[in-house]
C-alpha cells in the first residue's frame, strides 16, 4: 500500500505527468514516423498519444481522491491567489467551499 502512495505522490504534480507523456509521445511518434516512413503521421500519433497518456495518468491519480484530498490538491495546484493570504484589493470569492465552481 505504501508503494501505491509513493506512486501517486510522484504522479500527483502535473509536471512529471506532462514530461512523461511528452517523452512517450515523442518516442512513439518517432517510431511511427521511421517505421512507416510517414513523418506527418508520426507527428500526429505522437501528439495524440502524449495527450492520451497525460489524461489517463491524471485520471488514475485524481479519481480515487476523497473530498479532503481533492481540496488539498486544488489548493496546491491553484495558480491564483489563495483566499487566506490574498494580497489583492478585491475580497476573496464568497463561494470558497467544496461546491465552488464560480471562480
Amino acid at each position: 500500500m505504501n508503494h501505491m502512495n509513493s506512486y501517486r505522490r510522484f504522479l500527483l504534480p502535473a509536471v512529471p505527468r506532462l514530461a512523461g507523456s511528452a517523452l512517450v509521445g515523442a518516442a512513439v511518434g518517432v517510431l511511427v514516423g521511421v517505421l512507416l516512413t510517414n513523418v506527418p503521421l508520426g507527428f500526429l500519433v505522437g501528439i495524440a498519444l502524449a495527450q492520451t497518456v497525460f489524461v489517463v495518468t491524471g485520471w488514475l491519480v485524481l479519481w480515487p481522491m476523497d473530498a479532503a484530498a481533492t481540496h488539498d490538491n486544488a489548493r496546491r495546484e491553484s495558480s491564483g491567489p489563495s483566499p487566506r493570504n490574498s494580497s489583492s484589493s478585491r475580497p476573496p470569492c464568497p463561494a470558497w467551499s467544496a461546491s465552488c465552481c464560480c471562480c
Side-chain angles (χ1 to χ4, degrees), residues 12-34:
L12 188 59
V15 174
R17 287 185 291 137
L18 184 60
S21 64
L23 289 174
V24 169
V28 172
V30 167
L31 187 65
V32 167
V34 168

mmCIF file of all heavy atoms in Angstrom, residues 12-34:
data_model
loop_
_atom_site.group_PDB
_atom_site.id
_atom_site.type_symbol
_atom_site.label_atom_id
_atom_site.label_comp_id
_atom_site.label_asym_id
_atom_site.label_seq_id
_atom_site.Cartn_x
_atom_site.Cartn_y
_atom_site.Cartn_z
ATOM 1 N N LEU A 12 1.216 12.964 -8.759
ATOM 2 C CA LEU A 12 0.235 13.984 -8.424
ATOM 3 C C LEU A 12 0.542 15.320 -9.075
ATOM 4 O O LEU A 12 -0.337 15.919 -9.680
ATOM 5 C CB LEU A 12 0.117 14.121 -6.904
ATOM 6 C CG LEU A 12 -1.001 15.012 -6.404
ATOM 7 C CD1 LEU A 12 -2.346 14.505 -6.885
ATOM 8 C CD2 LEU A 12 -0.978 15.061 -4.896
ATOM 9 N N PRO A 13 1.770 15.824 -9.010
ATOM 10 C CA PRO A 13 2.045 17.077 -9.714
ATOM 11 C C PRO A 13 1.939 16.881 -11.223
ATOM 12 O O PRO A 13 2.283 15.828 -11.757
ATOM 13 C CB PRO A 13 3.474 17.429 -9.321
ATOM 14 C CG PRO A 13 3.766 16.617 -8.117
ATOM 15 C CD PRO A 13 2.915 15.401 -8.210
ATOM 16 N N ALA A 14 1.471 17.904 -11.905
ATOM 17 C CA ALA A 14 1.265 17.788 -13.352
ATOM 18 C C ALA A 14 2.571 17.755 -14.134
ATOM 19 O O ALA A 14 2.619 17.179 -15.217
ATOM 20 C CB ALA A 14 0.395 18.936 -13.838
ATOM 21 N N VAL A 15 3.638 18.336 -13.600
ATOM 22 C CA VAL A 15 4.888 18.429 -14.365
ATOM 23 C C VAL A 15 5.485 17.050 -14.680
ATOM 24 O O VAL A 15 5.835 16.786 -15.839
ATOM 25 C CB VAL A 15 5.899 19.347 -13.648
ATOM 26 C CG1 VAL A 15 7.247 19.336 -14.350
ATOM 27 C CG2 VAL A 15 5.354 20.763 -13.567
ATOM 28 N N PRO A 16 5.615 16.129 -13.695
ATOM 29 C CA PRO A 16 6.132 14.803 -14.069
ATOM 30 C C PRO A 16 5.223 14.059 -15.042
ATOM 31 O O PRO A 16 5.707 13.374 -15.951
ATOM 32 C CB PRO A 16 6.222 14.047 -12.744
ATOM 33 C CG PRO A 16 6.233 15.080 -11.695
ATOM 34 C CD PRO A 16 5.472 16.235 -12.246
ATOM 35 N N ARG A 17 3.918 14.221 -14.887
ATOM 36 C CA ARG A 17 2.997 13.564 -15.823
ATOM 37 C C ARG A 17 3.135 14.144 -17.217
ATOM 38 O O ARG A 17 3.115 13.424 -18.215
ATOM 39 C CB ARG A 17 1.552 13.709 -15.344
ATOM 40 C CG ARG A 17 1.248 12.844 -14.146
ATOM 41 C CD ARG A 17 -0.206 12.910 -13.761
ATOM 42 N NE ARG A 17 -0.520 14.231 -13.232
ATOM 43 C CZ ARG A 17 -1.604 14.928 -13.535
ATOM 44 N NH1 ARG A 17 -2.495 14.439 -14.339
ATOM 45 N NH2 ARG A 17 -1.807 16.107 -13.017
ATOM 46 N N LEU A 18 3.288 15.476 -17.302
ATOM 47 C CA LEU A 18 3.439 16.124 -18.597
ATOM 48 C C LEU A 18 4.755 15.728 -19.255
ATOM 49 O O LEU A 18 4.800 15.422 -20.453
ATOM 50 C CB LEU A 18 3.366 17.643 -18.431
ATOM 51 C CG LEU A 18 3.422 18.467 -19.703
ATOM 52 C CD1 LEU A 18 2.257 18.119 -20.616
ATOM 53 C CD2 LEU A 18 3.403 19.939 -19.356
ATOM 54 N N ALA A 19 5.841 15.701 -18.475
ATOM 55 C CA ALA A 19 7.142 15.316 -19.025
ATOM 56 C C ALA A 19 7.122 13.863 -19.493
ATOM 57 O O ALA A 19 7.618 13.549 -20.583
ATOM 58 C CB ALA A 19 8.231 15.518 -17.975
ATOM 59 N N GLY A 20 6.545 12.985 -18.682
ATOM 60 C CA GLY A 20 6.476 11.576 -19.065
ATOM 61 C C GLY A 20 5.637 11.358 -20.310
ATOM 62 O O GLY A 20 6.009 10.585 -21.208
ATOM 63 N N SER A 21 4.505 12.038 -20.389
ATOM 64 C CA SER A 21 3.650 11.871 -21.561
ATOM 65 C C SER A 21 4.315 12.449 -22.808
ATOM 66 O O SER A 21 4.173 11.890 -23.901
ATOM 67 C CB SER A 21 2.282 12.509 -21.327
ATOM 68 O OG SER A 21 2.395 13.898 -21.155
ATOM 69 N N ALA A 22 5.054 13.544 -22.655
ATOM 70 C CA ALA A 22 5.764 14.104 -23.807
ATOM 71 C C ALA A 22 6.849 13.147 -24.297
ATOM 72 O O ALA A 22 7.029 12.973 -25.511
ATOM 73 C CB ALA A 22 6.373 15.449 -23.439
ATOM 74 N N LEU A 23 7.564 12.515 -23.359
ATOM 75 C CA LEU A 23 8.602 11.555 -23.757
ATOM 76 C C LEU A 23 8.007 10.338 -24.455
ATOM 77 O O LEU A 23 8.528 9.883 -25.484
ATOM 78 C CB LEU A 23 9.411 11.121 -22.539
ATOM 79 C CG LEU A 23 10.342 12.173 -21.951
ATOM 80 C CD1 LEU A 23 10.969 11.657 -20.653
ATOM 81 C CD2 LEU A 23 11.407 12.549 -22.946
ATOM 82 N N VAL A 24 6.924 9.811 -23.913
ATOM 83 C CA VAL A 24 6.274 8.651 -24.532
ATOM 84 C C VAL A 24 5.744 9.018 -25.915
ATOM 85 O O VAL A 24 5.927 8.283 -26.893
ATOM 86 C CB VAL A 24 5.138 8.113 -23.627
ATOM 87 C CG1 VAL A 24 4.286 7.100 -24.353
ATOM 88 C CG2 VAL A 24 5.714 7.509 -22.359
ATOM 89 N N GLY A 25 5.089 10.176 -25.999
ATOM 90 C CA GLY A 25 4.553 10.609 -27.292
ATOM 91 C C GLY A 25 5.643 10.829 -28.320
ATOM 92 O O GLY A 25 5.500 10.445 -29.491
ATOM 93 N N ALA A 26 6.753 11.447 -27.907
ATOM 94 C CA ALA A 26 7.855 11.691 -28.840
ATOM 95 C C ALA A 26 8.477 10.385 -29.308
ATOM 96 O O ALA A 26 8.765 10.216 -30.503
ATOM 97 C CB ALA A 26 8.903 12.575 -28.179
ATOM 98 N N ALA A 27 8.672 9.456 -28.378
ATOM 99 C CA ALA A 27 9.289 8.178 -28.741
ATOM 100 C C ALA A 27 8.414 7.400 -29.722
ATOM 101 O O ALA A 27 8.898 6.891 -30.742
ATOM 102 C CB ALA A 27 9.552 7.350 -27.483
ATOM 103 N N VAL A 28 7.135 7.312 -29.429
ATOM 104 C CA VAL A 28 6.242 6.566 -30.321
ATOM 105 C C VAL A 28 6.059 7.313 -31.642
ATOM 106 O O VAL A 28 5.983 6.685 -32.710
ATOM 107 C CB VAL A 28 4.894 6.287 -29.622
ATOM 108 C CG1 VAL A 28 3.893 5.689 -30.585
ATOM 109 C CG2 VAL A 28 5.109 5.364 -28.436
ATOM 110 N N GLY A 29 6.018 8.641 -31.587
ATOM 111 C CA GLY A 29 5.907 9.417 -32.826
ATOM 112 C C GLY A 29 7.093 9.205 -33.744
ATOM 113 O O GLY A 29 6.939 9.040 -34.958
ATOM 114 N N VAL A 30 8.292 9.193 -33.172
ATOM 115 C CA VAL A 30 9.494 8.931 -33.975
ATOM 116 C C VAL A 30 9.462 7.507 -34.518
ATOM 117 O O VAL A 30 9.776 7.263 -35.693
ATOM 118 C CB VAL A 30 10.771 9.176 -33.133
ATOM 119 C CG1 VAL A 30 12.002 8.610 -33.817
ATOM 120 C CG2 VAL A 30 10.936 10.660 -32.861
ATOM 121 N N LEU A 31 9.068 6.568 -33.678
ATOM 122 C CA LEU A 31 8.989 5.170 -34.118
ATOM 123 C C LEU A 31 8.008 5.011 -35.280
ATOM 124 O O LEU A 31 8.329 4.368 -36.286
ATOM 125 C CB LEU A 31 8.577 4.285 -32.938
ATOM 126 C CG LEU A 31 8.610 2.788 -33.153
ATOM 127 C CD1 LEU A 31 10.035 2.328 -33.390
ATOM 128 C CD2 LEU A 31 8.021 2.084 -31.952
ATOM 129 N N VAL A 32 6.835 5.604 -35.160
ATOM 130 C CA VAL A 32 5.843 5.513 -36.242
ATOM 131 C C VAL A 32 6.352 6.231 -37.488
ATOM 132 O O VAL A 32 6.217 5.720 -38.608
ATOM 133 C CB VAL A 32 4.484 6.094 -35.782
ATOM 134 C CG1 VAL A 32 3.545 6.304 -36.958
ATOM 135 C CG2 VAL A 32 3.845 5.185 -34.758
ATOM 136 N N GLY A 33 6.954 7.406 -37.308
ATOM 137 C CA GLY A 33 7.460 8.141 -38.464
ATOM 138 C C GLY A 33 8.558 7.409 -39.204
ATOM 139 O O GLY A 33 8.625 7.446 -40.429
ATOM 140 N N VAL A 34 9.422 6.707 -38.455
ATOM 141 C CA VAL A 34 10.536 5.979 -39.083
ATOM 142 C C VAL A 34 10.049 4.671 -39.696
ATOM 143 O O VAL A 34 10.388 4.342 -40.848
ATOM 144 C CB VAL A 34 11.659 5.717 -38.053
ATOM 145 C CG1 VAL A 34 12.682 4.735 -38.581
ATOM 146 C CG2 VAL A 34 12.320 7.031 -37.672
#
